[in-house]
Amino acid sequence: NLWDNAFSGESLHFQVGGFPKLKELDLTRLNRLSSITIDEEALLRLEHFRFKNNPQLKVLPQDLKNLKNLQFLGFAEMPAELVDSIEEGGPCHGIINHIPVVQIRQNEGSKFHDYKLYRIRTQLNV
């Protein structure tokens, strides 16, 4: 988990061979993060990837397509530009189409439990 500005840069790069055994990654409240690069041979065993409240991350990382073992991709409290781009028919939907579960959490009110969850359809969950 990288939470609460544990990473304070604007660009995060997962290099070849990086984190070869990591299965889950959670990036939460990284206020300056605006781009992510994932080399083809990085995060090879990653199964669960979650993004929460990263206000500058407005473009979906194109390299998510390199994560062949990804089973779950979750977004919560993310910029509308990013969320809209992955909707079915959106310009970035093809990047996430190989992931069985892609879930969006959107706040609908001021209370902790005021939110809705919904899934994005992909070729693996039709």
Side-chain angles (χ1 to χ4, degrees), residues 7 23 49 58 84 88 107 109:
F7 175 79
K23 290 189 175 189
F49 203 171
K58 297 176 182 175
D84 292 346
E88 196 169 8
N107 290 342

Side-chain angles (χ1 to χ4, degrees), residues 9-110:
E10 294 176 12
S11 181
L12 186 55
H13 181 194
F14 295 97
Q15 297 180 351
V16 171
F19 302 102
K21 295 181 181 182
L22 188 67
K23 290 189 175 189
E24 292 188 34
L25 181 57
D26 189 341
L27 304 178
T28 299
R29 291 182 299 275
L30 304 178
N31 291 318
R32 295 186 63 215
L33 182 65
S34 62
S35 70
I36 296 173
T37 306
I38 305 165
D39 289 348
E40 205 164 326
E41 296 296 318
L43 303 172
L44 290 177
R45 293 190 183 171
L46 195 66
E47 296 175 359
H48 294 254
F49 203 171
R50 290 177 294 276
F51 296 87
K52 182 178 179 187
N53 196 8
N54 299 301
Q56 299 307 314
L57 191 62
K58 297 176 182 175
V59 176
L60 184 73
Q62 301 287 311
D63 299 331
L64 288 174
K65 65 183 177 288
N66 294 336
L67 301 176
K68 304 298 183 204
N69 290 315
L70 205 57
Q71 298 298 306
F72 174 87
L73 179 62
F75 297 96
E77 302 169 42
M78 293 296 290
E81 299 96 320
L82 186 146
V83 173
D84 292 346
S85 76
I86 64 172
E87 296 281 353
E88 196 169 8
C92 294
H93 186 264
I95 296 167
I96 55 112
N97 207 27
H98 70 285
I99 303 167
V101 178
V102 179
Q103 183 172 281
I104 307 295
R105 178 180 181 242
Q106 288 185 316
N107 290 342
E108 292 191 325
S110 59

